[in-house]
Amino acid sequence: MTARSFPRGTILGYPRLGRKRELTKALEAHWAGRLTAGEFAATTAEIRAAIRERLVDIGLGRDDSSIPESFSLYDHVLDAAVTVGAIPSRFDGEIDAQTDEVDASFALARGRGDLAPLAMTKWFDTNYHYLVPEIGPHTHFRLSSNRLVRDVAEARAAGFVTRPTIVGPVTLLLLSTAESNATDGFQPFSRLADLVPVYARLLTELRDAGAEWVQLDEPALASDVVSVNASRVLAAVESTYRELGSTPERPQLFVSTAYGDVGGALATLAATPVDAIGLDLVRGTIPSRIDSGTRARLADKTLVAGVIDGRSVWRGDLEAALTAAADVRRLTSTVSVSSSTSLIHVPHDVTLETHLEPRLVSWLSFADQKVEQVGIVARGLARGSASVRSDLEAASIALSDRLGAPGVHDRSVRARISFLGEGDRSRVPWEQRREAQKRTFGLPPLPTTTIGSFPQTDRIRQARARYLGGFDSAETYVTVIKNEIAEVIALQEELGLDVLVHGEPERNDMVQYFAENLEGFDVTLHGWVQSFGSLCTRPPILWGDVSRLGPITVGWSRYAQSLTSKPVKGMLTGPVTILAWSFVRDDQPLGDTAAQLALALRDEIADLEAAGIGIIQIDEPALRELLPLRSVDHEHYLAWSVAAFRLATAGAKPETQIHTHLCSSHFGVVLDAIKKLDADVTSIESAHSRMRIIDDIAASGFEHDIGPGVYDIHSTRVPSVDEVTELLARAAEAIDVERLWVNPDCGLKTRGYEEATASLRNVLEAANRVRQRVAEQQAASPSAR
Ligand code: GLN
Ligand code: ZN
């Protein structure tokens, strides 16, 4: 059989949700028992079939391996783990060779009975969450799922030759964690030699099912924020792809790298027998910088030039994309065009956004439009740019229209930024603030608070839907929200919390709510992207200069404060998190956009103060998420992100207590930056990881107040008083109790009232116990204070 060449244009992966979120609905219906396993399987097969047909309609080939077979029921990392048999031993007896693989996947993703699910974490510097495989010294790697093989065969039966995609072995191990029963110091990476033969088997089976090309995703090669040193990673790449390359009767191998610069791994990959290598030319690799030794080795490879940005929603500069692809031709004669990453980070189709202004729509490109763009650039590369002249021009006209549109450059915003100095980013020293705040609030030791949201009930959601649908007046809606706030305040008083919140009932989402109330943003109706499993978000589009039309949260906070004599904490989303969870303009550095957001928040803080709100929290859960994948870029990122937070908060009076909240990441690497935020109080997720962060915080010399989470809100389980007491006691050992706050890991939005109330009750009881214990200890040794 002669080898088929790599398709001229392709994408690394396609959204799995379905245009109408069919996957989300099917998952929910299946979990709720409304769809049988058989019906669920049929529905998901229909989604896959519709995706393939759609991709042909918009320009990919039916039988040339250009359609990626990249569907996943829940998560592609989970799929890879299940495929190779990486099932944690706690599931022994629950999952075995007889278990249906869909069932097995859901057990790992969602837990079963008392068995905890796999942990979840962010996929590189994106807001997508993957499930972290757990691997131990005895994990029995074997080809234990035929899902991918079956998808390829299913496509084949419908007349397609698709290209199966799977996370590659090096990345799979780098993203995995050691199973909890493994000995100290065990690294999943040490199991590489046992894992690679399973991939070799898979390759053979995929070929037998009709695959001509297989895509192995190795995005971890673009990151050095991994736990294994670079030279070991390179050696692993070498041995893995030498071995897979020598699989007899194998399909052709395409190794994709993405999310940044592949760096030294390119030379290594080039020396192995893989047939095609993908480069992310949007975020990283610069062909002209590739050294001559690597060039020589690349000459007989296919290079897949990722020139269409898989992560942004902008239509972009197609001429520049074509030039970048043409540059790659200096390295090898066989060049194909692709998206820079999988398209799972963008919504399906911008033409569904019929409510948006046509002008804005003309600037945008979602997954389907990206596929078309790949086609244009691929044609231009094959036949010369003249052959696609009109398409390139249309893109360039849209781009200049965007850059020059009213609102993209707002003179008053820019003038204000240009007059800022260092003084605008610093408050008076913390010791002074601390004294002033002590006098103002007179809080007890170990003050108790929550992170902001209370359960978003059906009642709230329905009221919002009725209001947005035009069935209810604004007045009716406001009344519902106010009643909700009143109930939340009453509940917190009854529970005995010290610093109250209004509960955020008015927010559909902590980023979208601000986007809807700021200039420079638009929000989509159908622009869903998968966050994990069935959970989707609709990131707003930040296209212009940001400014505030007027107060955003002040009315709600003022109302809440009017109901209680305890302090009510104002609640804002920080600049970095707004950026991270939006689609952000690409015509200026992120730091510049962050500064504009910061100024809007700064004004909001001033208005909150004026309304009598003395404690204000600025949430930055995404601070870690945007950390660049290459450590050389960290300093610059941390400088602008910290500066934005400080710009937002430094106008606050000394007696105003600024809180921040961090969660959903491993913050170890950014502890120094957290210190520099200079917040008075920092709450941080820690119950979820059993207080692992606490010692790091203590060791980092962090001096301000800190609230390590003591209630894991990811779980429906109500933590017992003993359990919380123990966590608090752990925290009190590492951190001076004078600086310790008591709070849950995160907001209660996704919880139900019953469990949230019971949990908070136990948290407060535990706080009382620890307070008492501390008082007794102090009484016993008064000299210690
Ligand atoms: N204040 C937000 C809430 O409580 C914080 C959410 C978050 O950190 N993701 O919901
Ligand atoms: Zn949180």
Side-chain angles (χ1 to χ4, degrees):
M1 184 177 97
T2 55
R4 284 284 297 266
S5 54
F6 195 80
R8 285 199 330 220
T10 189
I11 52 173
L12 298 187
Y14 188 73
R16 318 179 280 225
L17 290 178
R19 295 166 68 80
K20 296 188 177 138
R21 278 190 299 151
E22 289 89 343
L23 178 60
T24 310
K25 292 170 196 160
L27 284 170
E28 279 162 5
H30 179 49
W31 294 334
R34 283 181 276 114
L35 269 189
T36 64
E39 289 163 340
F40 178 67
T43 308
T44 52
E46 275 166 30
I47 298 172
R48 287 191 293 273
I51 288 174
R52 293 184 200 111
E53 290 296 345
R54 175 74 185 162
L55 287 174
V56 168
D57 284 350
I58 55 182
L60 295 189
R62 201 174 272 275
D63 57 4
D64 63 358
S65 304
S66 62
I67 297 181
E69 198 62 58
S70 63
F71 187 75
S72 175
L73 288 178
Y74 197 100
D75 165 42
H76 52 273
V77 180
L78 172 67
D79 290 345
V82 171
T83 299
V84 301
I87 314 286
S89 54
R90 67 174 172 281
F91 285 91
D92 288 355
E94 188 66 38
I95 298 176
D96 59 27
Q98 263 55 34
T99 312
D100 173 73
E101 61 184 79
V102 174
D103 245 29
S105 299
F106 291 156
L108 294 183
R110 313 176 72 223
R112 179 157 299 170
D114 283 342
L115 300 175
L118 299 183
M120 235 176 6
T121 194
K122 303 259 161 134
W123 170 252
F124 301 97
D125 56 348
T126 76
N127 187 22
Y128 176 80
H129 298 71
Y130 71 89
L131 288 156
V132 183
E134 292 172 27
I135 289 170
H138 306 297
T139 301
H140 177 206
F141 291 126
R142 62 198 183 279
L143 195 53
S144 73
S145 148
N146 67 356
R147 177 197 59 86
L148 193 54
V149 175
R150 188 209 51 216
D151 287 358
V152 168
E154 172 190 279
R156 191 81 197 207
F160 293 86
V161 178
T162 55
R163 185 182 79 247
T165 76
I166 184 166
V167 174
V170 177
T171 294
L172 184 66
L173 291 179
L174 286 174
L175 297 184
S176 296
T177 187
E179 230 186 300
S180 59
N181 56 7
T183 45
D184 267 1
F186 169 82
Q187 277 188 330
F189 208 66
S190 64
R191 299 292 316 275
L192 185 72
D194 304 317
L195 177 61
V196 175
V198 181
Y199 273 83
R201 272 247 356 244
L202 177 66
L203 291 180
T204 308
E205 295 210 358
L206 288 169
R207 198 202 69 126
D208 292 347
E212 292 172 348
W213 281 89
V214 172
Q215 172 179 329
L216 293 153
D217 292 324
E218 293 287 10
L221 301 182
S223 172
D224 44 32
V225 197
V226 291
S227 55
V228 175
N229 75 37
S231 59
R232 267 186 82 201
V233 173
L234 294 185
V237 169
E238 222 280 325
S239 65
T240 299
Y241 287 99
R242 186 161 301 289
E243 184 173 338
L244 292 181
S246 63
T247 312
E249 310 264 329
R250 65 169 170 83
Q252 310 245 89
L253 294 183
F254 166 40
V255 176
S256 89
T257 66
Y259 303 97
D261 197 319
V262 57
L266 181 58
T268 310
L269 271 177
T272 69
V274 304
D275 306 283
I277 301 171
L279 299 175
D280 181 340
L281 299 186
V282 174
R283 290 261 175 153
T285 309
I286 300 171
S288 60
R289 294 213 192 128
I290 296 171
D291 64 77
S292 57
T294 308
R295 279 162 189 267
R297 292 183 195 145
L298 286 173
D300 66 342
K301 305 277 186 219
T302 294
L303 285 178
V304 183
V307 293
I308 300 298
D309 192 345
R311 298 179 58 179
S312 88
V313 292
W314 307 111
R315 190 160 164 189
D317 184 345
L318 285 190
E319 180 104 49
L322 179 53
T323 308
D327 277 350
V328 179
R329 234 185 349 212
R330 303 218 180 97
L331 303 171
T332 175
S333 55
T334 34
V335 175
S336 292
V337 174
S338 79
S339 55
S340 61
T341 66
S342 162
L343 301 179
I344 58 167
H345 307 295
V346 296
H348 272 273
D349 186 355
V350 75
T351 65
L352 299 173
E353 302 300 331
T354 45
H355 71 293
L356 286 178
E357 236 196 283
R359 186 169 182 185
L360 174 60
V361 172
S362 78
W363 304 341
L364 300 174
S365 130
F366 291 178
D368 287 4
Q369 288 68 43
K370 304 267 175 192
V371 173
E372 288 163 354
Q373 292 189 325
V374 162
I376 294 166
V377 175
R379 241 177 299 134
L381 194 65
R383 303 189 203 143
S385 63
S387 67
V388 290
R389 179 60 43 217
S390 61
D391 289 314
L392 301 187
E393 265 167 25
S396 128
I397 289 168
L399 180 60
S400 28
D401 183 55
R402 163 157 75 100
L403 302 186
V408 170
H409 290 259
D410 178 326
R411 237 185 264 159
S412 58
V413 172
R414 285 174 186 255
R416 206 173 152 200
I417 299 256
S418 70
F419 288 119
L420 294 172
E422 231 355 85
D424 296 303
R425 296 192 183 84
S426 355
R427 305 180 71 194
V428 300
W430 174 69
E431 291 75 11
Q432 281 175 41
R433 282 158 24 210
R434 187 175 164 82
E435 281 315 306
Q437 291 164 20
K438 262 193 184 154
R439 278 196 306 274
T440 310
F441 304 111
L443 294 168
L446 295 150
T448 54
T449 189
T450 63
I451 304 305
S453 58
F454 268 70
Q456 278 264 335
T457 56
D458 282 343
R459 188 168 61 172
I460 303 176
R461 272 193 283 264
Q462 280 159 13
R464 182 150 47 241
R466 278 198 308 274
Y467 166 53
L468 293 175
F471 302 108
D472 275 356
S473 66
E475 230 178 352
T476 308
Y477 177 62
V478 168
T479 310
V480 174
I481 298 296
K482 280 190 159 176
N483 288 342
E484 200 66 38
I485 292 175
E487 282 177 26
V488 167
I489 294 286
L491 173 64
Q492 294 172 90
E493 292 212 306
E494 190 251 315
L495 287 167
L497 284 145
D498 301 309
V499 172
L500 313 192
V501 297
H502 77 287
E504 305 177 25
E506 78 288 2
R507 298 182 196 181
N508 39 13
D509 172 275
M510 65 187 286
V511 168
Q512 186 171 354
Y513 181 71
F514 287 90
E516 283 170 352
N517 287 286
L518 288 168
E519 288 288 274
F521 281 95
D522 262 293
V523 295
T524 68
L525 276 187
H526 306 283
W528 296 100
V529 294
Q530 190 177 28
S531 176
F532 63 87
S534 65
L535 200 97
C536 311
T537 64
R538 230 168 355 137
I541 297 173
L542 196 176
W543 54 268
D545 279 353
V546 177
S547 60
R548 201 183 63 135
L549 290 164
I552 301 171
T553 63
V554 178
W556 307 121
S557 291
R558 182 196 286 122
Y559 176 66
Q561 186 65 80
S562 75
L563 303 171
T564 175
S565 56
K566 293 208 169 151
V568 171
K569 181 162 67 167
M571 199 56 60
L572 306 174
T573 304
V576 176
T577 299
I578 295 183
L579 283 185
W581 297 349
S582 301
F583 290 119
V584 182
R585 63 191 293 180
D586 58 355
D587 58 330
Q588 64 181 19
L590 277 183
D592 294 4
T593 311
Q596 295 181 356
L597 285 161
L599 280 184
L601 293 168
R602 187 179 174 105
D603 295 346
E604 183 75 7
I605 291 174
D607 285 343
L608 283 167
E609 280 181 329
I613 304 299
I615 302 183
I616 302 168
Q617 176 172 308
I618 295 89
D619 291 322
E620 279 294 22
L623 183 68
R624 168 67 179 79
E625 177 181 318
L626 284 194
L627 186 74
L629 301 180
R630 291 291 181 197
S631 35
V632 288
D633 302 322
H634 288 183
E635 197 181 313
H636 174 67
Y637 162 71
L638 293 170
W640 70 250
S641 54
V642 168
F645 185 92
R646 295 177 64 125
L647 178 58
T649 52
K653 295 183 280 193
E655 62 271 30
T656 297
Q657 190 170 65
I658 297 292
H659 289 219
T660 190
H661 166 68
L662 306 158
C663 65
S664 71
S665 284
H666 304 294
F667 285 97
V669 264
V670 298
L671 278 179
D672 193 49
I674 295 174
K675 229 190 293 181
K676 290 188 181 136
L677 295 178
D678 196 29
D680 299 305
V681 184
T682 301
S683 66
I684 191 160
E685 172 182 316
S686 21
H688 192 55
S689 54
R690 313 300 299 166
M691 294 275 149
R692 226 181 294 147
I693 185 87
I694 281 301
D695 301 315
D696 293 349
I697 292 175
S700 77
F702 189 86
E703 288 185 331
H704 299 190
D705 288 17
I706 180 120
V710 291
Y711 156 31
D712 176 6
I713 58 85
H714 298 286
S715 163
T716 51
R717 222 171 50 82
V718 174
S720 69
V721 180
D722 284 344
E723 203 178 322
V724 178
T725 308
E726 198 189 306
L727 291 180
L728 266 180
R730 269 260 302 113
E733 267 167 38
I735 291 162
D736 182 4
V737 285
E738 296 253 306
R739 303 193 284 120
L740 207 52
W741 284 63
V742 180
N743 47 257
D745 265 358
C746 191
L748 305 171
K749 185 169 142 180
T750 56
R751 297 274 60 90
Y753 261 104
E754 209 176 312
E755 55 197 270
T757 309
S759 302
L760 289 177
R761 225 179 271 292
N762 290 354
V763 167
L764 283 151
E765 174 62 30
N768 281 334
R769 276 197 203 168
V770 178
R771 278 172 183 162
Q772 209 159 8
R773 221 183 274 173
V774 169
E776 282 161 14
Q777 278 163 6
Q778 285 174 355
S781 59
S783 57
R785 288 270 142 219

